[in-house]
Amino acid sequence: MSCDNPDHRHRLSRKGFLRGFAAAVAGLATGGTARQALATTPPGPEKEFCYAYDPAVTHMEALPWGKPYEGEPAALKPHALFGYTQEWNGFEPACTLEPAEACRSVPAHAHNIKAAGVYEGIEVGGNPWMRMASDEARISVENGGGPFGAVILQIDDETNEVIRYWRNHNHVPSWKDPTAHAEVTAIRCACRQLGVFDLGTIRKEEAALPQTGATSHCVIYSSAEPCPMCYAAIYWARIPRLVFAATRYDAAVQGVDFSDEALYLELSKAYRDRTGIRSSQASVPNSLDAFNLWKRSKKKQY
């Protein structure tokens, strides 16, 4: 299998993978290449490996738009905690579980689960971008991925035009990559194609793709509340605006079974009280060498 084949292949060097992983925890997404159109640096001599994808359902490159940004979704009107009916499209897919009796335990649910106070003051309605991210999540499941999708918009600060957007979804099962969440994958694509690691302030003279104004910025729509890794990736990519639909509690229901809420709770504890990973803080004489070299060297801060 050659990574030079543009069909259904995403080329990424071993070094590129490590840099891509750093995007999940530090916003640095400059290594590797995603098909030839996304290449910013020629591949080095290091061994390469490939991620297979179907370009009919996975968009590794930006999609042009060129229309004004209609703005963020409007805030929901105040409503009672009980007796409120949430809008639902009635989507209730056929159950293909085996044995068929298992379907009784996983009915479709028609409203988001919200713990009291967690989302107070941030509830909004939808817009086409939010619906697109949710559609991307469904497309992911239909093609063997996890139930998560994300859309990143690049908005020109001078004209308020959505210059382009990236849409992507979860690739953990197909790529055998536990960091290939929808938000992380979309951020990697946007950063690599733009040639930047800061999606909060994209300067015209630094960007690899054209824009009208001196600066632009990105916003991200996620089909579901980001896990802590994805939230950190959004933070380190300096994306100033996040809109999500399904909640961490929706992700934890029987049959969906994602443990984001457990991870949020784990991170709120002192290390000694955490049970997921046994951690230790080591004392070695060279522990500060990298930090001392960093702070005393010329560098591009991120």
Side-chain angles (χ1 to χ4, degrees):
M1 177 181 69
S2 172
C3 290
D4 294 324
N5 181 359
D7 295 330
H8 303 196
R9 298 295 164 194
H10 171 199
R11 181 171 63 187
L12 194 65
S13 67
R14 186 180 300 275
K15 185 183 293 183
F17 169 76
L18 295 175
R19 289 175 177 167
F21 174 75
V25 293
L28 183 58
T30 58
T33 58
R35 301 173 69 189
Q36 197 61 33
L38 293 185
T40 57
T41 304
E46 59 268 23
K47 184 178 179 181
E48 295 177 340
F49 68 97
C50 295
Y51 282 153
Y53 68 92
D54 182 353
V57 295
T58 297
H59 303 277
M60 301 304 294
E61 301 178 13
L63 298 163
W65 193 243
K67 299 178 184 179
Y69 182 44
E70 58 270 71
E72 299 173 358
L76 289 181
K77 295 180 180 180
H79 56 81
L81 182 61
F82 301 102
Y84 165 68
T85 301
Q86 179 179 318
E87 182 183 5
W88 180 50
N89 65 1
F91 180 65
E92 191 170 0
C95 183
T96 59
L97 296 177
E98 295 180 351
E101 290 76 15
C103 295
R104 297 177 183 176
S105 301
V106 287
H109 64 283
H111 62 87
N112 298 120
I113 302 172
K114 303 177 185 182
V118 175
Y119 308 103
E120 184 176 350
I122 70 164
E123 293 175 290
V124 298
N127 66 10
W129 303 110
M130 190 67 263
R131 289 189 288 272
M132 180 185 291
S134 296
D135 282 342
E136 189 69 23
R138 175 184 47 77
I139 291 169
S140 180
V141 177
E142 291 171 347
N143 289 275
F148 304 98
V151 175
I152 293 178
L153 313 182
Q154 184 189 3
I155 302 171
D156 192 285
D157 291 334
E158 183 177 305
T159 65
N160 196 43
E161 175 189 280
V162 177
I163 307 168
R164 55 185 64 88
Y165 66 93
W166 291 262
R167 58 183 295 174
N168 221 303
H169 53 261
N170 180 285
H171 295 278
V172 171
S174 59
W175 291 355
K176 307 299 186 292
D177 179 353
T179 71
H181 290 199
E183 298 93 334
V184 170
T185 303
I187 288 171
R188 286 173 175 171
C189 290
C191 286
R192 191 175 293 115
Q193 195 169 8
L194 287 167
V196 301
F197 51 72
D198 184 343
L199 297 179
T201 303
I202 305 162
R203 304 187 187 282
K204 186 174 183 178
E205 66 273 14
E206 297 176 352
L209 296 177
Q211 61 187 53
T212 300
T215 61
S216 64
H217 70 280
C218 290
V219 301
I220 186 167
Y221 287 83
S222 178
S223 66
E225 183 175 358
C227 72
M229 179 186 73
C230 292
Y231 189 90
I234 294 166
Y235 178 91
W236 285 113
R238 302 293 193 265
I239 296 175
R241 188 69 173 100
L242 159 70
V243 185
F244 61 85
T247 71
R248 69 181 81 166
Y249 307 103
D250 296 326
V253 300
Q254 183 169 282
V256 183
D257 299 322
F258 286 93
S259 57
D260 295 27
E261 170 62 4
L263 185 50
Y264 273 106
L265 291 173
E266 181 86 347
L267 292 174
S268 69
K269 301 175 183 176
Y271 275 103
R272 65 177 179 274
D273 298 324
R274 298 180 186 180
T275 58
I277 301 172
R278 190 169 66 88
S279 304
S280 299
Q281 189 276 317
S283 294
V284 291
N286 62 339
S287 65
L288 298 174
D289 288 1
F291 288 158
N292 288 330
L293 178 61
W294 174 264
K295 67 183 180 182
R296 296 170 65 88
S297 302
K298 286 185 176 182
K299 56 188 171 287
K300 186 175 180 65
Q301 192 74 41
Y302 64 89

